[in-house]
Amino acid sequence: MPSLTLSHVTRYSYRHPVAFGEHRIMVRPRESFDQHLINAQLTISPEPSDVRWLQDVFGNSVAIATFDKRAKELVFDSRVQLLHTPAELQNVDIERYARLYPFTYSSEEMPDLLRSIERQHHDPLRQIDSWARRFVRTDGPTDTLAMLSDMTATIRREFTYVPRPEKGTQSPIETLATRKGTCRDYAVLMIEAVRALGFAARFISGYVYNPSAREQRTGGGNTHAWVRVYLPGSGWVEFDPTNGIVGNRGLVRVAVARDIYQAVPISGTWSGFPGSFLDMTVSVDITLDDADAAGQHSAQTLKQA
């Protein structure tokens, strides 16, 4: 069970002192059977006039900060210690009726899964549908987990990972056409593809780290994005198309959402002279503290991706 120390610093810089509106901060990892928080601290500078915590509709921990001071810099510094229990691929135990595709979710689960099955992006020419169907075998039964694993590995193998400083996400059709994008672009593409096949899927925002010297993950130095698909018998199973992996090995969940725009780590407003905004930087530093991972360290400072 790896013990992790995680630092996530987001810094906004301004040419002149500005006033800050309400900010919504979602950087605290989720508590679960596979993620145990030992300590979590959020420091904000300048000091807010008020900070309150809530759980959103998905159960994510969200801090709401309000300010009464002007400043030329706004810094959010999150420090976390947690125990992480990775789930191995062989532990994915799917109910017998769902082991082969296609299948139908049970009547008890379907009402709660429907919104996570609904498509979020227009696909008038059925391009995403056609691409998704390539993973369904035509020469025999299609193994459900093998199909989803193949899709995850194919994105990793056939697409080019390109960090992008601009905010926002490409449409899945654009990602499919250009065969390149960021982790969040890949996640949105895979979510739409599996939804086209009738699966319930959700967007995950969190952190990625190297579990060992042999396992080098792409997407470190910033927040990371991947996918969860609901499989009867195992529940929500992690798929990371950026790294082509199944399971949560090297992945720390922070936010779970139906759509990417519900999982933005930090959002808020400011007011001041036009042109005051200078820059934003994000630094994520994860250290493995357990003896088995001695010497493993991942640190990088990047522009917002």
Side-chain angles (χ1 to χ4, degrees):
M1 180 184 294
S3 172
L4 308 177
T5 298
L6 190 154
S7 167
H8 177 181
V9 180
T10 301
R11 187 182 306 273
Y12 299 88
S13 301
Y14 303 86
R15 183 172 287 106
H16 308 287
V18 299
F20 303 107
E22 182 178 274
H23 277 66
R24 181 182 178 92
I25 307 105
M26 195 157 30
V27 295
R28 181 187 174 98
R30 292 172 65 102
E31 293 270 14
S32 182
F33 64 91
D34 57 351
Q35 294 186 177
H36 305 278
L37 284 185
I38 301 171
N39 184 39
Q41 296 181 342
L42 176 63
T43 303
I44 305 173
S45 178
E47 184 176 354
S49 57
D50 181 63
V51 177
R52 61 185 179 92
W53 287 87
L54 58 86
Q55 282 191 312
D56 68 8
V57 68
F58 300 104
N60 302 311
S61 294
V62 182
I64 306 295
T66 54
F67 301 83
D68 58 6
K69 300 175 183 176
R70 301 173 69 91
K72 296 177 67 175
E73 190 173 70
L74 178 60
V75 181
F76 298 91
D77 187 343
S78 172
R79 308 279 171 161
V80 172
Q81 289 180 289
L82 76 157
L83 296 177
H84 191 227
T85 308
E88 302 298 337
L89 178 59
Q90 60 266 27
N91 294 332
V92 179
D93 186 13
I94 303 175
E95 294 280 1
R96 185 179 298 276
Y97 76 87
R99 292 176 185 172
L100 296 180
Y101 177 84
F103 67 89
T104 302
Y105 291 120
S106 70
S107 58
E108 292 82 6
E109 295 174 326
M110 183 62 84
D112 298 304
L113 296 175
L114 279 174
R115 294 306 307 274
S116 295
I117 300 174
E118 291 178 359
R119 304 282 293 275
Q120 299 293 314
H121 297 267
H122 294 296
D123 184 16
L125 301 179
R126 315 289 287 185
Q127 293 168 267
I128 303 300
D129 299 64
S130 298
W131 184 79
R133 297 296 302 180
R134 66 176 277 193
F135 299 99
V136 180
R137 297 186 59 171
T138 58
D139 58 349
T142 299
D143 181 274
T144 298
L145 183 58
M147 176 182 66
L148 295 171
S149 300
D150 185 20
M151 183 184 294
T152 305
T154 297
I155 295 175
R156 171 69 176 86
R157 182 178 62 252
E158 296 184 358
F159 290 64
T160 302
Y161 177 78
V162 181
R164 188 175 63 253
E166 295 83 7
K167 294 182 180 180
T169 306
Q170 295 176 168
S171 72
I173 292 177
E174 184 179 357
T175 302
L176 189 61
T178 61
R179 299 284 167 143
K180 62 183 180 181
T182 66
C183 57
R184 61 186 186 272
D185 299 324
Y186 293 167
V188 170
L189 169 62
M190 184 167 177
I191 287 172
E192 283 297 295
V194 299
R195 285 176 176 171
L197 297 175
F199 289 95
R202 288 180 173 175
F203 180 89
I204 309 297
S205 176
Y207 305 107
V208 60
Y209 67 92
N210 298 325
S212 69
R214 300 183 305 276
E215 300 171 274
Q216 298 297 311
R217 301 286 193 252
T218 299
N222 210 314
T223 54
H224 189 58
W226 63 97
V227 180
R228 266 184 147 186
V229 179
Y230 190 82
L231 299 177
S234 280
W236 294 101
V237 178
E238 251 94 336
F239 294 87
D240 180 3
T242 300
N243 291 289
I245 58 175
V246 180
N248 69 332
R249 185 170 174 80
L251 300 173
V252 176
R253 290 185 306 278
V254 170
V256 176
R258 179 170 43 84
D259 187 270
I260 183 174
Y261 298 106
Q262 298 168 310
V264 178
I266 298 176
S267 60
T269 61
W270 64 272
S271 59
F273 291 112
S276 291
F277 178 74
L278 291 174
D279 197 19
M280 180 183 76
T281 60
V282 178
S283 172
V284 173
D285 182 351
I286 301 178
T287 304
L288 276 68
D289 302 321
D290 62 316
D292 293 336
Q296 294 304 308
H297 184 254
S298 174
Q300 187 177 4
T301 300
L302 298 174
K303 300 285 187 179
Q304 171 76 359

